[in-house]
Each structure stands twice: as C-alpha cells, then as structure tokens.
Amino acid sequence: MDKFKHLIYTVEDQIAIITFNRPKYLNALNSEMLKELSDVTDHIGADASIRAVILTGAGEKAFVAGADIAEMRSKNAMEGRKFSQFGNWVLSKLENLPQPVIAAINGFALGGGCELALACDIRIASTRAKLGQPEVILGIMPGFGGSQRLPRLVGLGIAKELLFTGDMITADRAREIGLINHVVEPSELLTKAKEIAGNIAAKSPLGVQFSKKAVNEGFDLDLERSLSLETEMFGMLFSTEDQKEGMTAFLEKRKPVYQGK
C-alpha cells in the first residue's frame, strides 16, 4: 500500500496493525486521517489473507483523543452534518469488516476516539487509558455513532450518564460497565492484543467471519428472525472447505489447516 501521512500500517502473521500517528495532536481525528482509515479499511476488507485487525495509537498519551476540534470549530450546520456523515460512514465500514477488529487503547479514547473503539469488536485498555464522550462540554453531542453504539454496549442508564455529564472514566470502570474486555499494564497492551488476534487467526476464517456477521446483523432483529439468520449462515458453512477440514482434523486428532474457502 501507499505510505500514509497519519497512519502506520503493518501486517504480522496475518494480523493487520493500524497505528494512528499524530502524537503531537494526541492522534486527533481529522478529515485526512478519516480518509486514510477509509482507504486502509477497503484494503483490509479485500485481503483474504488478513485474519484479524488491531488498532492503536502512537505515543504513550493517546489512542485517539477525539475529533480535531481545531478543524471542527468553524464549521457551520451543513458542514458539521457532512463531517458527521463522513465519520459515521468510515466507522461503519470498519465495524462491518469481515475480519474481527481489536482496539488496543493505550491512553485517551475520548469523543471520536471512544466512538472509534466502540466500532471495534473487542476492546483492550492499558491501565493508564481514559475513556469518555465529552462532547457536551464543547456544546455538541457525539457525531460518529457514540449516542447509538454506547447504549447498545453498556445499557441505557450508564450510557446516558456518560453522554450527559461528559465525564471521563478509568479503564477499570470501563471494564466494570462492559465497555472494555481486558485491562493490562501498558507494556503488555500490544502483546495481549496480538495474543487475542493470533487466537482468532488460528481459527476458521469463514467461521469467524460468519459469526461476526450473524452477531452484527442479528443484534437488532427479533429473536425469530435472528435465529433464522443464524440457521441460514450455519447451513452455508457446510458448503465450505473450512468445514470439511475442521471436522476432519478434529476426528483425526490433528491441528486444522484453514484456507478460508
């Protein structure tokens, strides 16, 4: 891929790692960075060799400290609406990648940074991480999905408190409310993220992708329709080489070799 201005993109052992790289500005999301994130998301989605994705931030202070306030400050109502539309479009693309996405939150994940983490499948935080949706402090509200994804993850009451107060919370509190899966020491953050990503990468790519799709698409359906969706996807997997390899390997007591087909 072409070199990015605001992102560092690497691939290790079928795991794509995206590092937000504006440490001088605490990795704040501006339009250029969102465009680069959109481009790298398209690339990952088209690369079947990538089994999992990790997002993290450059420097020790921030994952992504929020959207770029300097860029937003002078926007009018129409421009603000377009910025929200663009951010939501990019984060939805990330959320709907076939591969699982892990946020490795090394510092501040506020506003747009918290919304970015919410669009990931799994969230790991260092002990120094701080999370929150402080938009009301700036006279606005979340614009990249925070008002919708946060209550779906932590429940209405806790989400409303965070949204209405704009308060930051610690990594431990975020884990208590279900916003974070794991909290680790800063030195262990990427190791833990790579451990989980590697565990995922060792499994059937199609089984993992179908599981993600079933959860995402079935979450807002009624139970009858979501179960029907699961049944259809379960059946489709029996037409794949992954299913044949996985079950044969189990019966032969050996490790499966998945091709994602």
Side-chain angles (χ1 to χ4, degrees):
M1 290 193 68
D2 294 336
K3 187 174 181 180
F4 295 107
K5 181 179 178 182
H6 300 304
L7 302 178
I8 300 171
Y9 177 72
T10 59
V11 179
E12 302 176 15
D13 301 321
Q14 299 181 300
I15 301 165
I17 302 174
I18 302 169
T19 304
F20 298 100
N21 190 34
R22 294 183 75 210
K24 182 179 177 181
Y25 304 98
L26 299 181
N27 304 321
L29 289 170
N30 61 12
S31 295
E32 282 187 306
M33 185 185 280
L34 284 169
K35 175 62 168 61
E36 291 183 359
L37 180 58
S38 174
D39 291 344
V40 75
T41 298
D42 288 340
H43 173 79
I44 290 169
D47 189 344
S49 71
I50 294 174
R51 303 284 179 87
V53 183
I54 296 172
L55 303 186
T56 195
E60 297 182 355
K61 293 183 178 180
F63 171 67
V64 169
D68 193 325
I69 297 171
E71 179 182 346
M72 291 192 294
R73 182 178 58 177
S74 61
K75 292 185 183 299
N76 61 32
M78 184 58 70
E79 290 167 339
R81 184 174 185 271
K82 287 182 177 178
F83 188 56
S84 174
Q85 284 181 322
F86 183 53
N88 266 315
W89 177 69
V90 175
L91 266 59
S92 291
K93 285 172 64 174
L94 179 72
E95 182 177 46
N96 291 310
L97 272 175
Q99 301 95 336
V101 182
I102 300 168
I105 303 167
N106 52 310
F108 291 116
L110 305 173
C114 187
E115 290 170 303
L116 182 61
L118 289 169
C120 297
D121 299 295
I122 297 168
R123 285 157 292 279
I124 306 166
S126 84
T127 52
R128 65 163 61 108
K130 303 284 187 182
L131 301 94
Q133 298 288 164
E135 287 87 352
V136 293
I137 299 170
L138 302 173
I140 57 172
M141 62 171 284
F144 293 173
S147 68
Q148 304 306 308
R149 291 190 180 95
L150 186 60
R152 284 168 165 79
L153 189 63
V154 304
L156 281 174
I158 291 174
K160 286 179 178 179
E161 180 179 350
L162 292 173
L163 293 168
F164 299 167
T165 64
D167 288 346
M168 286 192 300
I169 59 173
T170 65
D172 284 337
R173 175 58 178 157
R175 180 175 54 184
E176 286 177 6
I177 65 176
L179 179 53
I180 294 295
N181 296 60
H182 303 277
V183 178
V184 298
E185 293 300 321
S187 61
E188 299 172 2
L189 181 66
L190 271 182
T191 299
K192 182 66 173 178
K194 289 177 181 179
E195 175 190 321
I196 294 174
N199 191 2
I200 292 169
K203 305 306 190 295
S204 158
L206 294 179
V208 170
Q209 290 171 22
F210 275 48
S211 294
K212 175 173 176 174
K213 189 175 178 66
V215 171
N216 285 357
E217 293 187 6
F219 188 77
D220 289 322
L221 299 177
D222 61 66
L223 183 59
E224 183 178 357
R225 286 190 294 166
S226 63
L227 291 175
S228 178
L229 172 68
E230 180 185 81
T231 294
E232 289 302 314
M233 297 180 74
F234 180 80
M236 289 170 64
L237 285 167
F238 280 78
S239 67
T240 68
E241 294 178 20
D242 272 11
Q243 177 264 331
K244 301 297 185 291
E245 168 63 11
M247 293 190 177
T248 300
F250 178 83
L251 293 173
E252 294 178 352
K253 295 181 173 57
R254 60 174 175 82
K255 189 174 181 179
V257 180
Y258 291 117
Q259 303 296 325
K261 297 179 181 178

